[in-house]
């Protein structure tokens, strides 16, 4: 299933995409895609519905983040060896983990706002992993059983805030609008292998990033298991798994986003995002 949330900011409603690519409303069956509603029993109940029996949503409403009330947005840094090389970093021996503030989360096509004082705002297309059942001390073999589905995440980064102002990466990762999520949550049963998905990103129609989850240093199962040894992963938590090469920081000369730029990005089978850059 392709599950989504649509409507004005703060008043999103749950829906799904039917076979013809149209939005069908799910409000009679659940209040939101958040927490326990992402568990196996809830998703199984939705999978038994006939989309043709659900109300059709007319027009082209705004799409919100595909998961509501996210508890944790956990990000992995330098998880592609070729991306580590372009930034001048060494390949990590174990996952680099940081948190992005959940207040950064926005819809997949909402404007991307440059924070005041920004000089180096960069792009990063990533595979997002949505947790469906609690995971604590889980093995790598069992890790994917705790995944509800997958989505596109844009891990926007202000490099000067991140790298030049001391402290943790969080300050360069958590600005408002720096976490577009969606357009859909694609349930895990539709993704045969999360380690075989193509990723791409364009700025103003020019391809900047092209990659595949095949080249991840630490795969999804490894990351879910690893993180579960450190913290309990709860339903609705999202793991953003790192970006392939082609970020602005790695260009010669380094190139960053400017007001008016349009960024399009996608992950195979998970849909496409499109953001216009504005000045905050």
């Amino acid at each position: 299933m392709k599950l989504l949330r649509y409507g004005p900011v703060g008043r999103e409603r749950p829906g799904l995409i039917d076979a013809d690519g149209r939005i069908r409303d799910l409000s009679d069956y659940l209040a939101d895609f958040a927490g326990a509603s992402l568990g196996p029993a809830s998703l199984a109940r939705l999978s038994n519905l006939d989309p043709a029996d659900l109300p059709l949503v007319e027009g082209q409403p705004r799409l919100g983040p595909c998961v509501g009330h996210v508890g944790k947005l956990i990000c992995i840094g330098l998880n592609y060896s070729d991306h580590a090389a372009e930034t001048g970093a060494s390949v990590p021996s174990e996952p680099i983990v940081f948190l992005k503030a959940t207040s950064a989360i926005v819809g997949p096509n909402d404007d991307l706002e440059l924070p005041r004082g920004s000089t180096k705002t960069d792009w990063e297309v990533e595979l997002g992993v949505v947790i469906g059942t609690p995971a604590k001390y889980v093995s790598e073999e069992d890790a994917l059983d705790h995944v509800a589905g997958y989505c596109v995440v844009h891990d926007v980064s202000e490099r000067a805030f991140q790298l030049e102002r001391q402290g943790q990466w969080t300050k360069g990762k958590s600005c408002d609008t720096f976490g577009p999520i969606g357009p859909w949550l694609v349930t895990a049963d539709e993704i045969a292998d999360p380690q075989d998905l193509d990723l791409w990103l364009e700025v103003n129609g020019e391809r900047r990033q092209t990659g595949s989850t095949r080249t991840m240093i630490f795969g999804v199962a490894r990351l879910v298991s690893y993180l579960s040894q450190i913290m309990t992963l709860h339903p609705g938590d999202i793991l953003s798994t790192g970006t392939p090469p082609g970020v602005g920081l790695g260009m010669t000369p380094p190139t960053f986003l400017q007001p008016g730029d349009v960024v399009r990005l996608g992950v195979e089978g998970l849909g496409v995002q499109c953001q216009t850059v504005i000045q905050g």
Side-chain angles (χ1 to χ4, degrees):
M1 294 181 291
K2 293 181 174 66
L3 307 175
L4 53 77
R5 301 167 70 246
Y6 71 95
V9 176
R11 293 188 286 126
E12 293 91 348
R13 298 163 65 94
L16 60 75
I17 300 292
D18 68 17
D20 296 318
R22 299 175 298 182
I23 300 175
R24 299 283 182 162
D25 184 74
L26 284 169
S27 297
D28 289 341
Y29 294 90
L30 76 167
D32 202 356
F33 288 122
S37 67
L38 296 168
S42 176
L43 296 182
R45 183 166 66 101
L46 296 179
S47 70
N48 290 324
L49 299 175
D50 183 350
D53 294 335
L54 301 172
L56 179 65
V57 178
E58 301 290 350
Q60 295 182 318
R62 169 189 173 269
L63 299 183
C66 58
V67 177
H69 308 291
V70 176
K72 297 189 287 292
L73 178 49
I74 309 166
C75 300
I76 305 300
L78 304 176
N79 197 28
Y80 290 73
S81 56
D82 35 12
H83 171 57
E86 73 174 345
T87 62
S90 58
V91 174
S93 59
E94 61 179 278
I96 294 174
V97 180
F98 63 92
L99 297 178
K100 183 186 284 274
T102 56
S103 56
I105 294 174
V106 291
N109 303 318
D110 291 344
D111 288 340
L112 195 168
E113 180 179 307
L114 299 180
R116 295 179 184 179
S118 169
T119 58
K120 299 179 180 179
T121 294
D122 206 346
W123 54 83
E124 295 188 40
V125 59
E126 305 200 0
L127 170 66
V129 180
V130 181
I131 300 300
T133 58
K136 184 174 184 177
Y137 300 128
V138 302
S139 68
E140 191 168 337
E141 292 72 24
D142 295 334
L144 295 185
D145 294 339
H146 296 268
V147 174
Y150 303 91
C151 64
V152 182
V153 175
H154 190 182
D155 176 23
V156 186
S157 307
E158 212 302 335
R159 301 299 189 188
F161 293 8
Q162 175 189 357
L163 302 172
E164 300 171 19
R165 294 179 58 175
Q166 301 189 9
Q168 300 296 317
W169 287 5
T170 300
K171 67 176 68 174
K173 299 283 189 172
S174 295
C175 304
D176 292 349
T177 77
F178 272 26
I181 293 174
W184 317 307
L185 186 166
V186 178
T187 51
D189 59 294
E190 293 201 7
I191 303 300
D193 183 0
Q195 302 309 143
D196 190 21
L197 301 174
D198 292 333
L199 306 86
W200 59 272
L201 181 145
E202 299 172 347
V203 179
N204 300 328
E206 296 183 6
R207 181 63 64 95
R208 297 292 172 85
Q209 289 186 275
T210 301
S212 170
T213 59
R214 291 187 297 273
T215 65
M216 278 184 184
I217 299 168
F218 307 104
V220 173
R222 172 75 176 113
L223 291 172
V224 171
S225 174
Y226 178 89
L227 290 168
S228 79
Q229 313 305 313
I230 299 169
M231 65 188 87
T232 301
L233 303 177
H234 295 283
D237 286 350
I238 298 177
L239 168 59
S240 196
T241 57
T243 199
V247 300
L249 181 65
M251 297 178 68
T252 305
T255 303
F256 301 107
L257 294 172
Q258 303 296 324
D261 286 346
V262 176
V263 185
R264 293 184 74 249
L265 60 147
V267 178
E268 181 181 355
L270 304 183
V272 174
Q273 300 184 359
C274 184
Q275 296 116 30
T276 298
V277 180
I278 64 171
Q279 182 60 59

